């Protein structure tokens, strides 16, 4: 595990998990229980429900959801979305470069791969500092939204 | 302090109040050499350089720049008697251009406040004079009166290079500010450095990221439809990453103010600047 501050496999106890995913459906993996393989991928779905790439695109572009375009560019979205960010790599062809499990880890917590990254961890609650109370104990995206975004990313082929 | 211009296509040149020739560049920008070898940046650039032509032109025009309305408010207050001691700022400090020369560019500073020496910015110093010397009430942070007087005092030094102290008794404040600058905060888990050190010059959605320099504050901002202090801006940046900001005027923000001022050591004071 690259970050010494916290680890996913740590037995977090029910407290955090219960607090964080009050809305979790049976079968949904809480942010403290995600199974990361070799620090490089999360092969298993977080919900067991297949991701929907159409819903995933809305999560990807939604400013109050993933807001992924704040930092990344996607050529196929240029016509419908103004102002793509430049602070992170373009995602064209990302599905050719990474497996589904690698994409899932990148969205869930890219700090496992690169400790210094500016990319937020979209499915994580612990190890954060001075979180606004509106978001305290909440993940940025729900487990199903993560699955939907991963499904959308898998459509980005060149 | 060396001044350089980078980029292509110098269109025209203007001269700032302090006599600095500034190249007006569409693609390029003006930059300064860092103040020391340990400086984390290899070029120091004012936030002005990242704004569009119209915004910069507005800042440069003392008649059109809306920040001057705030300055005028400060000017009026400067000579207005207030508080139980029947004094105005002018009673003790005289003409602002003389009494406040060399002040705005050197703050925050260690000053006596409530019987102890502590890091103080212009806003806090104004309130110290009001409460301890005039028998008047402190102004709330970002109230037009406090902002107006701050703009007035900083503007006296417009064109002067930012020159804050960081050594001796300042060192612990400086280190604290540095630590805050590099600490990740909020649900989005970012530090100031992620945006303003690693990615300045790039776009984050529609925002052109600057180095987060402080030399233009207080600033007139279109988004605010009014003036705002540096601590208001710090607060906004922390809220944008879904964090809990420190209080305006707090020791944390003062330490951050000192540290960020040092990151822009040598930049000309531009108060009142205009931002989008």
């Amino acid at each position: 595990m690259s970050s010494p501050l916290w680890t996913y496999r740590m037995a977090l106890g029910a407290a955090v998990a219960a607090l964080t995913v009050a809305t979790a459906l049976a079968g949904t993996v809480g942010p403290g229980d995600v199974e990361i393989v070799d620090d490089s991928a999360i092969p298993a779905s977080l919900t067991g429900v297949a991701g929907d790439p159409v819903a995933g695109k809305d999560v990807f572009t939604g400013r109050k959801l993933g807001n992924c375009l704040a930092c990344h560019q996607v050529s196929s979205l240029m016509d419908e979305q103004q102002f793509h960010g430049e602070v992170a790599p373009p995602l064209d062809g990302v599905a050719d470069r990474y497996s589904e499990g690698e994409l899932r880890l990148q969205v869930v917590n890219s700090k496992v791969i690169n400790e210094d990254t500016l990319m937020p961890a979209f499915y994580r609650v612990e190890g954060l500092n001075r979180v606004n109370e509106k978001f305290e104990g909440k993940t940025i995206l729900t487990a199903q939204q993560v699955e939907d975004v991963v499904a959308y990313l898998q459509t980005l082929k060149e | 302090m060396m001044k350089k211009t980078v980029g292509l296509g110098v269109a025209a040149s203007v001269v700032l109040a302090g006599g600095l020739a500034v190249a007006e560049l569409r693609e390029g920008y003006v930059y300064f050499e860092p103040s020391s070898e340990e400086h984390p940046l290899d070029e120091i650039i004012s936030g002005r350089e990242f704004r569009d032509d119209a915004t910069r032109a507005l800042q440069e025009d003392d008649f059109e720049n809306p920040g001057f309305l705030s300055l005028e408010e400060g000017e009026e207050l400067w000579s207005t008697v207030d508080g139980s001691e029947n004094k105005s700022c002018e009673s003790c400090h005289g003409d602002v251009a003389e009494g406040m020369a060399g002040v705005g560019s050197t703050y925050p500073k260690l000053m006596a406040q409530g019987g102890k020496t502590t890091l103080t910015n212009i806003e806090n110093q104004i309130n110290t004079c009001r409460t301890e010397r005039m028998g008047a009430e402190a102004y709330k942070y970002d109230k037009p009166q406090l902002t107006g007087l701050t703009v007035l005092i900083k503007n006296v030094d417009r064109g002067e290079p930012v020159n804050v102290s960081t050594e001796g008794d300042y060192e612990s404040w400086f280190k604290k500010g540095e630590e805050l600058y590099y600490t990740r905060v909020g649900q989005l888990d970012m530090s100031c450095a992620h945006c303003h050190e690693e990615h300045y010059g790039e776009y984050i959605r529609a925002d052109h990221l600057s180095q987060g320099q402080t030399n233009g504050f207080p600033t007139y901002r279109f988004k605010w439809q009014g003036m705002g202090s540096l601590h208001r801006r710090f607060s906004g940046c922390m809220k944008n990453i879904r964090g809990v900001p420190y209080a305006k005027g707090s020791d944390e923000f003062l330490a951050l103010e000192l540290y960020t001022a040092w990151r822009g050591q040598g930049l000309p004071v531009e108060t009142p600047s205009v931002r989008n």
Side-chain angles (χ1 to χ4, degrees):
Chain A
M1 188 67 51
S2 50
S3 166
L5 287 175
W6 58 281
T7 83
Y8 269 108
R9 304 231 181 116
M10 220 159 68
L12 280 168
V16 177
L19 232 170
T20 54
V21 229
T23 53
L25 302 159
T28 295
V29 180
D33 298 321
V34 178
E35 179 112 19
I36 299 169
V37 174
D38 293 339
D39 284 353
S40 65
I42 302 172
S45 163
L46 301 179
T47 60
V49 177
D52 171 359
V54 177
K57 185 176 140 193
D58 291 340
V59 175
F60 186 90
T61 56
R63 284 170 195 258
K64 300 229 147 122
L65 293 168
N67 197 20
C68 309
L69 289 175
C71 299
H72 295 282
Q73 302 145 58
V74 177
S75 301
S76 54
L77 293 175
M78 285 293 179
D79 289 341
E80 52 182 289
Q81 293 279 336
Q82 274 186 301
F83 307 123
H84 297 205
E86 308 178 318
V87 302
L91 297 179
D92 298 330
V94 77
D96 301 327
R97 296 191 289 278
Y98 300 100
S99 69
E100 178 191 331
E102 287 168 338
L103 291 172
R104 190 176 286 109
L105 176 58
Q106 187 71 39
V107 175
V108 165
N109 185 2
S110 62
K111 275 148 207 158
V112 173
I113 304 159
N114 170 13
E115 217 180 335
D116 299 325
T117 185
L118 95 162
M119 178 165 165
F122 288 87
Y123 198 65
R124 165 191 177 182
V125 288
E126 81 280 24
L128 302 174
N129 180 24
R130 294 185 76 81
V131 175
N132 178 312
E133 61 179 38
K134 222 167 91 192
F135 303 101
E136 182 111 57
K138 296 194 181 122
T139 54
I140 302 173
L141 297 179
T142 66
Q144 193 56 44
Q145 285 170 336
V146 171
E147 291 306 317
D148 294 345
V149 167
V150 170
Y152 171 67
L153 292 174
Q154 287 176 277
T155 69
L156 298 178
K157 294 196 170 127
E158 268 173 341
Chain B
M1 180 71 47
M2 283 257 293
K3 183 172 67 65
K4 296 192 173 183
T5 55
V6 205
L8 312 156
V10 181
S13 228
V14 294
V15 177
L16 278 183
L20 292 160
V22 172
E24 283 284 311
L25 303 170
R26 190 73 188 90
E27 285 101 17
Y29 47 83
V30 177
Y31 75 84
F32 293 76
E33 294 281 347
S35 51
S36 74
E37 299 223 328
E38 299 94 74
H39 202 288
L41 299 166
D42 49 25
E43 49 180 2
I44 299 190
I45 309 163
S46 169
R48 172 190 175 280
E49 303 297 317
F50 298 87
R51 308 283 56 98
D52 63 20
D53 289 348
T55 308
R56 289 189 288 180
L58 192 58
Q59 174 173 321
E60 254 36 273
D61 185 336
D62 290 4
F63 295 100
E64 297 292 330
N65 179 340
F68 278 89
L69 290 173
S70 173
L71 185 142
E72 280 163 24
E73 180 162 3
E75 233 165 13
E76 201 166 316
L77 286 171
W78 183 258
S79 50
T80 305
V81 170
D82 196 6
S84 58
E85 304 298 310
N86 280 316
K87 289 204 156 73
S88 71
C89 317
E90 197 177 28
S91 322
C92 295
H93 294 292
D95 181 54
V96 67
E98 283 169 36
M100 291 291 135
V103 174
S105 55
T106 55
Y107 267 68
K109 254 191 202 166
L110 286 168
M111 297 293 279
Q113 196 188 102
K116 61 175 179 135
T117 298
T118 188
L119 195 68
T120 305
N121 62 2
I122 298 291
E123 285 91 339
N124 287 359
Q125 178 62 43
I126 291 168
N127 276 334
T128 304
C129 282
R130 284 182 56 83
T131 55
E132 296 183 12
R133 302 195 177 96
M134 292 168 68
E137 277 187 24
Y139 293 127
K140 287 224 172 69
Y141 228 91
D142 275 309
K143 284 282 173 231
Q145 296 94 328
L146 187 58
T147 303
L149 282 167
T150 306
V151 170
L152 176 73
I153 292 167
K154 289 239 169 176
N155 180 262
V156 170
D157 273 6
R158 185 164 66 158
E160 293 299 317
V162 171
N163 183 20
V164 291
S165 306
T166 57
E167 279 156 20
D169 292 343
Y170 285 90
E171 203 179 319
S172 58
W173 289 96
F174 179 81
K175 290 264 184 260
K176 182 171 176 188
E178 180 180 41
E179 188 194 320
L180 288 168
Y181 195 87
Y182 288 99
T183 301
R184 290 180 185 268
V185 295
Q187 191 193 36
L188 303 192
D189 202 28
M190 294 181 193
S191 74
C192 315
H194 282 116
C195 288
H196 294 300
E197 179 171 316
E198 292 172 23
H199 291 287
Y200 71 84
E202 297 170 11
Y203 279 84
I204 189 157
R205 203 89 197 214
D207 292 321
H208 197 193
L209 280 172
S210 74
Q211 293 183 335
Q213 297 291 0
T214 65
N215 56 312
F217 282 85
T219 190
Y220 179 88
R221 206 175 159 207
F222 300 124
K223 188 183 162 197
W224 293 333
Q225 296 189 358
M227 302 297 295
S229 66
L230 180 61
H231 291 196
R232 181 176 182 187
R233 182 80 231 203
F234 286 170
S235 187
C237 281
M238 290 185 77
K239 282 184 194 157
N240 284 345
I241 47 180
R242 300 183 176 178
V244 181
Y246 295 99
K248 294 177 195 171
S250 65
D251 282 355
E252 286 88 356
F253 272 177
L254 288 166
L256 199 52
E257 178 169 350
L258 177 67
Y259 177 70
T260 49
W262 171 79
R263 291 176 71 97
Q265 192 88 299
L267 283 177
V269 174
E270 289 174 14
T271 311
S273 63
V274 179
R275 299 288 186 260
N276 50 315

